Amino acid sequence: MALSDLLYPDNPKRRQELIHLHQELLDCMSTNFCATNELARVLNEHLGCTITHIQMRENSTVKENCDIIIEAMSEIQRQVQKIDSDMKEKLEPVLYQKLYDIKEPELEKIAIAHKVFSIILGEATSTAGIVAIKLLGSSLITLTVSKLVSLLAQIGASVLGGISITILGLGIEMILHAILGAVERNQLLTAVRSYEKHLAEFKAASEKYQRVIREVTSLVRQQVQ
């Protein structure tokens, strides 16, 4: 038994907690990669965007993978902001304001948006107006993505950022060595608490992000059918 385990008898339990939390973090990140790609696909297909598909890099660190998602989400924000600017330019001020007026019937807003995209793209898909209104009219781009970008940056800058995402295929001792790095083993509790804090916030924001994307893609599928 390690000396640190004699001095800190809760360490074995904390090690297992740390491994479990790391797996949860990676699962959550993986789901966000998939959700971001699905959002990019919808934007590219229906609103004429050019957002690149992203892939989780198994040989990279948590921070490096956080940076990949951050860049993709930032590009989504930039292109959606351009869409909004284009709509503002093409529409009369009264019609543009209607798009964001919660009192206006959604079908009318969708018709306005579709007309604009027919002009911008030359020919718009039947779902272009729906996608535009659902994305621009929701908090997905302005709040949800911004929150996720902030949390991903925090995770990347924390003690978690330098950990490789491939360590889960290794033995427990190698996993612990990779996770702890320069952190002394008697600081396991600090590491566990750091994971718990970041993971709780990250999961909550991720679930909201993924839920809005599911709603949009579900509407797109219904329209196609």
Side-chain angles (χ1 to χ4, degrees):
M1 181 181 292
L3 177 60
S4 59
D5 290 350
L6 291 172
L7 295 173
Y8 303 93
D10 286 340
N11 269 4
K13 178 183 175 182
R14 289 171 188 163
R15 288 192 183 103
Q16 293 300 326
E17 287 180 23
L18 203 53
I19 293 169
H20 176 71
L21 290 168
H22 187 67
Q23 179 66 71
E24 280 196 73
L25 174 66
L26 299 191
D27 289 345
C28 195
M29 286 185 66
S30 177
T31 304
N32 278 327
F33 266 83
C34 293
T36 301
N37 282 331
E38 181 61 16
L39 176 58
R41 183 191 66 77
V42 170
L43 289 169
N44 291 346
E45 184 175 336
H46 299 284
L47 301 187
C49 294
T50 54
I51 301 161
T52 304
H53 181 277
I54 58 173
Q55 187 171 355
M56 202 164 179
R57 295 179 182 171
E58 295 185 356
N59 294 323
S60 298
T61 63
V62 169
K63 181 184 186 306
E64 288 166 339
N65 279 282
C66 284
D67 289 344
I68 291 171
I69 305 181
I70 288 172
E71 177 54 36
M73 288 181 171
S74 297
E75 182 59 28
I76 287 171
Q77 287 179 309
R78 285 191 291 270
Q79 295 204 27
V80 169
Q81 285 167 1
K82 183 180 183 304
I83 288 170
D84 181 63
S85 296
D86 289 343
M87 293 180 75
K88 188 174 184 177
E89 180 184 339
K90 300 291 183 184
L91 288 171
E92 293 291 331
V94 174
L95 289 178
Y96 177 75
Q97 290 173 6
K98 280 187 175 184
L99 295 177
Y100 293 94
D101 188 344
I102 60 174
K103 296 179 182 178
E104 288 293 328
E106 189 170 73
L107 286 177
E108 184 176 344
K109 291 193 283 188
I110 290 171
I112 293 170
H114 185 270
K115 183 178 180 180
V116 174
F117 277 98
S118 295
I119 296 171
I120 295 173
L121 301 177
E123 182 180 355
T125 68
S126 60
T127 55
I130 295 175
V131 173
I133 294 304
K134 286 298 180 182
L135 292 180
L136 295 175
S138 73
S139 62
L140 174 65
I141 301 302
T142 56
L143 298 178
T144 313
V145 173
S146 295
K147 177 66 174 177
L148 265 179
V149 166
S150 175
L151 289 172
L152 284 162
Q154 290 176 35
I155 290 171
S158 73
V159 69
L160 318 180
I163 300 168
S164 171
I165 68 168
T166 59
I167 64 173
L168 291 170
L170 306 175
I172 290 179
E173 286 305 316
M174 291 186 71
I175 291 174
L176 289 169
H177 177 74
I179 291 178
L180 295 175
V183 180
E184 294 294 331
R185 289 178 182 243
N186 59 12
Q187 292 180 302
L188 269 169
L189 181 59
T190 300
V192 169
R193 293 294 172 261
S194 177
Y195 255 106
E196 288 177 336
K197 176 182 180 297
H198 287 96
L199 186 59
E201 293 179 327
F202 185 50
K203 286 177 70 175
S206 296
E207 286 167 5
K208 185 176 182 180
Y209 174 65
Q210 293 157 18
R211 184 171 62 251
V212 177
I213 293 173
R214 284 196 300 271
E215 289 174 1
V216 173
T217 54
S218 176
L219 285 170
V220 169
R221 284 194 294 270
Q222 290 172 20
Q223 186 72 15
V224 171
Q225 292 172 357

